[in-house]
Amino acid sequence: METGTSTSNSRNDSYEAIKNGSWFNQFRNGCNPWMARYVYGLIFLIANLLAWAARDYGRRALNKVTKFKNCKEGENCLGTEGVLRVSLGCFLFYFVMFLSTIGTSKTHSSRDKWHSGWWSAKLIMWPALTIIPFLLPSTIILLYGELAHFGAGVFLLIQLISVISFITWLNECYQSQKDAERCRVRVMLLATTSYTVCIVGVIMMYIWYAPDSSCLLNIFFITWTLFLIQLMTSIALHPKVNAGYLTPALMGLYVVFICWCAIRSEPVGENCNRKAAASNRTDWLTIISFVVALLAMVIATFSTGIDSQCFQFKKDVCSEGEEEEVEEDGVPYGYGFFHFVFATGAMYFAMLLIGWNTHHPMKKWTIDVGWTSTWVRIVNEWVAVCVYIWMLMAPIVLKSRRQRASGT
């Protein structure tokens, strides 16, 4: 018994040393879940680059892809279908990992070792699953393209819940600290800065994207965003809610950013989108913007994937000396959830690269452009506000229901 206990303690000590070590130390120490998440993120980035290359520069590989009988001289394996085929391969890889790691709760278990190791097997499985979609007929690929709309929507929903949970967590941390008086100045400064940026952002969108009164749709998008910020602030400051002014300020930043992305996604050539028309030429700024957008999507997928805590619906205590107890041999993050987010993220990057439209040709060095992309962003903004308001109102509604039930 003592030998087993000492072995278990030594394992936990080594895991703690790796966890608290540097980024380089996590890689140097071989198979561990902290190193594994970076490798999976790198695989996802490579898949994104392959999909982009298939869309913009696939013609150079025309002689290679014509060897696949379903490619029909390359036309069914390049462009939009090329993106969908690479996306399907990436989805299959992470979905297999999801099925094989879901429910993992202990380190040093067989599923933990599969998640954190066996890289030689995965280096065979990943390319094989990437090649398989190129052997499939176009009907299956286009069907996947339709299903990917749903998967990408699930990814956006997970992402916005993660963002809202982080904002709520940050607010709770400030409110629960012992030196709350000192933190009040920081909260006021952060909230004031956020509201200022929101106002400046709204003004700049009016100037750039609503230059005259004929731009009714853009005027509606921007004005409605301003109204939503006011609505969130009013509800958060209501005496019965009393959520403070930090969370609506940060949510205001988020919805202004989504609105800006939505209007930026409008097709080039629209009179009300002069910024897009000005960037119609492929220059260094366009290329840098594309690279930044691609990296931002990979980082967002990675950060959302390791944030399984936001779906446990448990309040964390942020005050000093009051940390949530975690099992010593528990996994550091939900492996199944991590791979599920990357699987839906594979569908999401396909939608961005084809503009959410399987029949919509995309220009080189563009990402998430088209009216479908615009409306997806706008609906995502409205859903984010609804989820945030529900998170504010839910405790009051549930409390009143409980009181009514106990009264009867």
Side-chain angles (χ1 to χ4, degrees):
M1 288 290 291
E2 291 181 2
T3 305
T5 304
S6 61
T7 305
S8 177
N9 289 335
S10 64
R11 284 178 176 176
N12 291 330
D13 291 340
S14 64
Y15 259 60
E16 280 297 318
I18 296 172
K19 177 183 177 181
N20 298 325
S22 64
W23 182 81
F24 174 76
N25 190 46
Q26 292 177 2
F27 272 88
R28 187 169 59 85
N29 280 279
C31 299
N32 63 81
W34 297 278
M35 181 271 290
R37 60 186 183 179
Y38 295 112
V39 178
Y40 289 120
L42 179 62
I43 292 174
F44 189 75
L45 175 61
I46 294 173
N48 277 258
L49 294 175
L50 286 175
W52 159 71
R55 189 196 70 176
D56 287 1
Y57 295 97
R59 296 293 169 188
R60 297 183 181 180
L62 191 61
N63 294 331
K64 301 292 182 182
V65 297
T66 50
K67 296 178 180 178
F68 299 111
K69 66 177 183 178
N70 289 302
C71 285
K72 291 185 180 178
E73 299 182 356
E75 64 181 28
N76 289 347
C77 293
L78 303 174
T80 297
E81 284 201 32
V83 172
L84 292 176
R85 290 176 190 273
V86 175
S87 169
L88 177 57
C90 184
F91 168 79
L92 290 174
F93 173 76
Y94 285 107
F95 193 70
V96 168
M97 292 304 303
F98 162 71
L99 293 177
S100 58
T101 58
I102 186 172
T104 306
S105 58
K106 304 288 185 181
T107 55
H108 315 299
S109 65
S110 57
R111 285 189 291 178
D112 171 67
K113 292 176 182 177
W114 166 244
H115 168 79
S116 306
W118 291 83
W119 295 112
S120 57
K122 290 171 190 173
L123 286 177
I124 297 173
M125 182 177 74
W126 172 45
L129 292 175
T130 302
I131 293 173
I132 286 174
F134 286 90
L135 306 176
L136 301 176
S138 293
T139 52
I140 295 178
I141 300 303
L142 293 176
L143 176 61
Y144 167 76
E146 297 301 322
L147 294 175
H149 288 83
F150 173 75
V154 172
F155 174 82
L156 286 174
L157 182 61
I158 294 173
Q159 188 181 57
L160 73 87
I161 292 176
S162 177
V163 170
I164 295 172
S165 297
F166 171 76
I167 291 173
T168 306
W169 169 84
L170 184 65
N171 185 57
E172 289 177 353
C173 282
Y174 276 122
Q175 289 181 348
S176 63
Q177 294 208 3
K178 293 180 180 179
D179 51 349
E181 290 296 326
R182 190 180 68 180
C183 289
R184 187 173 298 175
V185 178
R186 299 178 189 174
V187 171
M188 290 182 64
L189 182 61
L190 182 57
T192 303
T193 304
S194 299
Y195 278 121
T196 303
V197 173
C198 287
I199 294 171
V200 172
V202 168
I203 293 173
M204 296 306 295
M205 283 193 291
Y206 274 122
I207 295 173
W208 287 342
Y209 304 117
D212 53 62
S213 57
S214 63
C215 303
L216 294 178
L217 188 59
N218 286 355
I219 292 173
F220 166 71
F221 288 158
I222 301 168
T223 306
W224 188 252
T225 299
L226 193 60
F227 168 75
L228 292 177
I229 295 173
Q230 178 62 43
L231 178 64
M232 290 187 296
T233 304
S234 301
I235 294 175
L237 296 179
H238 192 277
K240 289 186 177 180
V241 178
N242 196 23
Y245 37 79
L246 180 60
T247 55
L250 295 177
M251 277 300 299
L253 273 180
Y254 184 56
V255 298
V256 167
F257 173 73
I258 296 177
C259 181
W260 175 76
C261 290
I263 299 177
R264 284 277 298 179
S265 295
E266 292 178 1
V268 175
E270 299 294 326
N271 294 329
C272 299
N273 198 347
R274 295 178 180 177
K275 297 293 288 183
S279 60
N280 192 20
R281 295 178 294 106
T282 302
D283 52 14
W284 282 109
L285 182 60
T286 305
I287 295 173
I288 291 172
S289 300
F290 175 84
V291 173
V292 169
L294 195 66
L295 291 175
M297 184 190 61
V298 174
I299 293 170
T301 307
F302 178 84
S303 59
T304 305
I306 60 177
D307 188 25
S308 57
Q309 296 288 334
C310 66
F311 290 89
Q312 294 180 0
F313 301 102
K314 293 189 294 186
K315 283 194 174 181
D316 294 331
V317 181
C318 300
S319 54
E320 288 184 25
E322 294 185 45
E323 296 182 356
E324 188 177 352
E325 293 185 6
V326 181
E327 294 183 28
E328 288 186 359
D329 58 347
V331 294
Y333 54 91
Y335 297 162
F337 179 81
F338 178 83
H339 292 296
F340 179 77
V341 170
F342 272 85
T344 56
M347 294 180 167
Y348 180 63
F349 81 66
M351 293 299 101
L352 293 187
L353 288 174
I354 67 174
W356 295 80
N357 190 341
T358 55
H359 306 288
H360 175 69
M362 296 280 287
K363 294 184 178 180
K364 284 185 178 181
W365 298 104
T366 58
I367 187 169
D368 201 22
V369 174
W371 281 115
T372 309
S373 300
T374 297
W375 280 106
V376 167
R377 294 283 186 181
I378 290 297
V379 172
N380 185 38
E381 175 193 347
W382 297 346
V383 172
V385 173
C386 291
V387 171
Y388 172 71
I389 291 176
W390 170 247
M391 291 179 72
L392 293 178
M393 300 293 294
I396 300 173
V397 174
L398 295 176
K399 183 179 179 181
S400 63
R401 283 183 180 177
R402 281 196 297 267
Q403 288 176 348
R404 258 191 252 119
S406 60
T408 55

